[in-house]
């Protein structure tokens, strides 16, 4: 894993590289701790008080293929989303004791996980259950109010292929398929609030949310970034775009107070001004 200081977006500073011993699939941070999911090697937890010299706290390799990882709302427990045994597991962070697990599948169904989030007592992930090589992505929501007895709360399976999710502190879940943007209210029985279609000849790829604005990367004609204003309820309105970007097809999109970030598997990391989507780094 690599730490980069982006205080100055024009001059990012590489703080160093830490070898983790496996292919990293996902990570999460709680205070001065970071947990890293690894393909084939379970997960590892690090003390990152010194970003240039992370220290391994503990690790669990017997779990096998761990594709998703997240701390719970307190940071006292770790949620792992696993390809091995196709299950969701809860571990105590201090000593990695297994507290509970639940397998939403049956028979010959196997599951890949792609992105995770936590809101209050809900653990959320994009999953792809596959039976005999056939399957499509949906969003699974686990109720984790009882750490010792988690269960599947809801599976959201809108039309189209799910590509990304974002969860606001208010409990609004933004879900993007290739063709639509949805908003669900996690605090109100996962009620659907918004269903908006993408422009003809475009497809959604990834999304990010900051304050009251949703940023979406799109492929097609034209490819680039779209901006949507959200009123906190049932209105999602396009307010900008499609803005052109130097490299099409980012794998991840993120936003914060300083800017918008596009991350690519091969092309690296780009930074933009959120107002007019001009490149800053």
């Amino acid at each position: 894993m690599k730490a980069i200081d982006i205080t100055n977006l024009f001059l990012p500073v590489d703080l160093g590289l830490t070898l983790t011993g496996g292919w990293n699939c996902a990570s999460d941070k709680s205070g001065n701790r970071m947990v890293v999911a690894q393909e084939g090697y379970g997960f590892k937890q690090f003390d990152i008080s010194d970003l240039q010299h992370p220290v391994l706290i503990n690790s669990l390799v017997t779990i096998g293929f761990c594709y998703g990882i997240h701390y719970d709302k307190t940071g006292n427990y770790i949620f792992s989303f696993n390809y091995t045994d196709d299950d969701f597991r809860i571990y105590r962070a201090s000593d990695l004791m297994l507290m509970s697990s639940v397998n939403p599948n049956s028979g010959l169904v196997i599951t890949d996980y792609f992105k995770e989030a936590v809101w209050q007592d809900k653990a959320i992930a994009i999953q792809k259950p596959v039976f005999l090589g056939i399957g499509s992505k949906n969003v699974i929501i686990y109720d984790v109010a009882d750490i010792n007895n988690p269960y599947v709360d809801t599976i959201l399976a809108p039309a189209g292929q799910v590509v990304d999710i974002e969860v606001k502190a208010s409990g609004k879940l933004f879900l993007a398929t290739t063709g639509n943007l949805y908003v669900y209210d996690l605090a109100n029985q996962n009620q659907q609030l918004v269903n908006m279609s993408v422009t003809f000849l475009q497809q959604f790829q990834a999304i990010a949310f900051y304050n009251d604005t949703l940023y979406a990367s799109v492929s097609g004609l034209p490819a680039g970034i779209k901006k949507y204003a959200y009123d906190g309820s049932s209105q999602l309105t396009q307010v900008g775009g499609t803005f052109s970007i130097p490299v099409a097809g980012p794998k991840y999109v993120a936003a914060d107070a300083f800017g918008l970030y596009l991350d690519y598997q091969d092309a690296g990391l780009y930074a933009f001004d959120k107002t007019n989507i001009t490149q800053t780094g």
Side-chain angles (χ1 to χ4, degrees), residues 86 105-112 128-136:
D86 309 301
N105 303 309
S106 60
L108 298 177
V109 176
I110 60 176
T111 297
D112 286 348
K128 185 178 181 180
V130 176
F131 177 70
L132 299 179
I134 300 173
S136 60

Side-chain angles (χ1 to χ4, degrees), residues 26-28 35-37 43 63 66-82 87-93 96 98-101 113 116-125 142-148 150:
S27 65
D28 192 32
V35 63
V36 180
F43 62 82
I63 195 172
C66 180
Y67 280 175
I69 204 80
H70 214 290
Y71 286 102
D72 81 319
K73 64 182 181 181
T74 67
N76 294 328
Y77 297 95
I78 294 172
F79 300 147
S80 71
F81 301 80
N82 311 292
D87 62 356
F88 167 76
R89 305 180 197 178
I90 301 178
Y91 293 88
R92 191 164 57 197
L96 304 188
L98 177 63
M99 307 301 294
S100 56
S101 66
Y113 290 101
E116 308 76 41
V118 169
W119 182 78
Q120 299 295 338
D121 292 324
K122 296 179 184 289
I124 306 137
Y142 294 96
D143 187 300
V144 294
D146 182 351
I147 291 296
N148 297 300

Side-chain angles (χ1 to χ4, degrees), residues 10 76 85 98-99 101 105 157 161 166 182 188 208 223 259 268 277:
F10 291 98
N76 294 328
D85 293 334
L98 177 63
M99 307 301 294
S101 66
N105 303 309
Q161 183 82 333
E166 279 284 323
Y182 299 87
N188 188 21
I277 317 299

